[in-house]
């Protein structure tokens, strides 16, 4: 290999725009659920690249898929289709309610496509008055200007000039408020079937079923943003499958590529009709490399072994949280589902989630936060039991250090 430039964390502040504040640790390689940094310090990965690396690092099936495809053909344009895209689309359609797929490169792009499709569909079928989009406070749908405006944190879309219009927000799990807002002018409702970034909030059964019924009653499209909840994260291939509620449009990304950038929007044939030739597109969407990896991911993840394993690992982590809390009394509750779990800090430690994440890293554990009060874990769906035990032991050390400080 040719001589590479030596780089350090300091270079970040010099050559990167300042929109992120990364840790001082620079990981250089990984294997399964373990990662090593520049100084060969080992970390256990309970972060999974924010719920992305669903099969850990360097999974042989994914390395094989990317290598094999790289040696064949790795980019075309959408002027020609390609085999991996068609195979992945067929597998997604066979596994879900959907009939057709649009490929993008990220969650935000998949959501952007879903929102644009909903507006077109409403225009085609009902005319220009039906343009309202309803979404939920604390929701997160990505960072393009349309998706960030549909997202429920006002601060994220502020400061960029006039926002896209006809977008309204109500509280998650407040069916009465939702019912008061939805009307025949509503074109679509975008919702996460469990709010991820917004604090691991699960929908109540009554709420999610009520949202579906009201969308149907008002001819509004129900869009499930399954970018974080999908692809096995909650223990079923997609979260909707466990909720007994079927959306009209669904988006997928993050774990879909296992760490390779890809996004997908899935819908029925009838709705998809509104995305006629020329209405939307992407240079890289449906890229053969990305789709080859996605295909390898679905082959591994959509199996009873992996999906049932998620439920067992969830129980193991929940037991770990309980044991740590019995000793140190730091959490008020554990939220989430499957391998998207969050410990909510109690009154005494309120606002200090970041401190727990930093202390975890210092003790060899990659963890996440979800807002200022929640320590979030989103490990690989195939993390070995021993790595969970060791990760929890490291987390306990981090907790002890904060409690005894
Ligand atoms: C991460 C996330 C997105 C954005 O995905 P990107 O790939 O970062 O664009 C959208 N929706 C949800 C629910 C997410 O968790």
């Amino acid at each position: 290999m040719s001589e590479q430039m030596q780089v350090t964390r300091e270079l970040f502040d010099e050559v990167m725009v300042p929109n992120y504040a990364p840790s001082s640790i620079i990981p250089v390689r990984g294997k399964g659920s373990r990662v090593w940094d520049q100084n060969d310090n080992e970390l256990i990965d309970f972060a999974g690249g924010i719920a992305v690396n669903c099969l850990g690092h360097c999974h042989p099936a994914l390395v094989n898929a990317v290598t094999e495809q790289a040696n064949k053909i790795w980019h075309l344009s959408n002027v020609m289709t390609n085999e991996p895209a068609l195979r992945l689309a067929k597998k997604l359609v066979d596994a879900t309610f959907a009939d057709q797929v649009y490929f993008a490169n990220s969650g935000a792009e998949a959501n952007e496509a879903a929102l644009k499709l909903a507006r077109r569909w409403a225009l085609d079928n009902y005319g220009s008055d039906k343009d309202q989009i309803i979404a939920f406070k604390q929701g997160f749908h990505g960072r393009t200007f349309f998706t960030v405006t549909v997202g429920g944190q006002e601060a994220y879309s502020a400061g960029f000039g006039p926002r896209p219009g006809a977008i309204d927000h109500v509280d998650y799990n407040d069916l009465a408020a939702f019912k008061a807002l939805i009307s025949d002018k509503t074109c679509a409702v975008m919702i996460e079937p469990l709010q991820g970034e917004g604090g691991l909030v699960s929908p109540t059964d009554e709420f999610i079923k009520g949202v579906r019924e009201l969308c149907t009653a008002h001819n509004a499209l129900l869009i499930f943003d399954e970018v974080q909840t999908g692809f096995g994260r909650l223990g079923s291939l997609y979260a909707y499958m466990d909720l007994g509620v079927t959306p009209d449009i669904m988006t997928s990304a993050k774990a879909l590529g296992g760490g390779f950038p890809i996004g997908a929007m899935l819908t029925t044939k009838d709705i998809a009709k509104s995305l006629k030739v020329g209405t939307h597109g992407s240079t890289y969407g449906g890229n053969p490399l990305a789709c080859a990896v996605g295909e390898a991911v679905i082959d591994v993840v959509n199996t009873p072994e992996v999906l049932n394993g998620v439920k067992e690992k969830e129980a193991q982590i929940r037991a770990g949280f309980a044991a740590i809390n019995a000793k140190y009394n730091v959490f008020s509750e554990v939220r989430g589902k499957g391998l998207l779990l969050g410990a909510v800090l109690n009154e005494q430690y309120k606002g200090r989630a970041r401190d727990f994440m930093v202390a975890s890293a210092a003790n060899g554990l990659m963890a996440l936060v979800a807002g200022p009060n929640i320590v979030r874990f989103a490990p690989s769906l195939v993390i070995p039991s021993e790595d969970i035990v060791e990760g929890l032991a490291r987390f306990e050390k981090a907790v002890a250090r904060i409690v005894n400080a």
Side-chain angles (χ1 to χ4, degrees), residues 357-379:
M357 181 177 76
V358 170
S360 294
N363 283 281
L365 177 71
M366 292 160 82
L368 296 167
V369 301
N373 302 318
I374 299 177
V375 185
R376 173 172 42 157
F377 292 162

Side-chain angles (χ1 to χ4, degrees), residues 50 105-109 111 140-143 192 196-197 225-229 253-254:
I50 316 191
N105 311 289
S106 66
E109 282 185 31
N111 285 333
F140 185 75
H141 302 296
R143 297 286 201 149
E192 294 164 85
E197 302 304 306
D225 176 347
E226 292 235 26
V227 170
Q228 188 154 167
T229 54
K254 292 202 166 108

Side-chain angles (χ1 to χ4, degrees), residues 27-45:
V28 292
R29 65 194 167 87
K31 187 91 199 136
S33 284
R34 306 230 174 191
V35 166
W36 288 265
D37 75 0
Q38 287 180 316
N39 305 316
D40 221 29
N41 294 314
E42 179 241 21
L43 296 130
I44 289 188
D45 189 359

Side-chain angles (χ1 to χ4, degrees), residues 78 81-92 101 103 285-288 290-292 295:
N78 284 299
T81 188
N82 68 79
E83 291 184 349
L86 294 173
R87 284 197 302 259
L88 177 58
K90 176 77 171 103
K91 286 182 181 183
L92 288 169
V101 181
F103 285 120
N287 169 279
C291 292
E295 198 192 347

Side-chain angles (χ1 to χ4, degrees), residues 152-177:
Q153 278 195 273
E154 160 93 44
Y156 287 179
S157 62
F160 300 104
R163 295 177 173 99
I167 299 166
D168 293 300
H169 297 93
V170 282
D171 282 324
Y172 199 80
N173 276 332
D174 187 343
L175 189 58

Side-chain angles (χ1 to χ4, degrees), residues 174-198:
D174 187 343
L175 189 58
F178 177 75
K179 189 171 182 180
L181 189 59
I182 193 170
S183 74
D184 289 346
K185 289 186 69 175
T186 307
C187 106
V189 174
M190 182 171 262
I191 187 168
E192 294 164 85
L194 181 154
Q195 284 193 328
E197 302 304 306

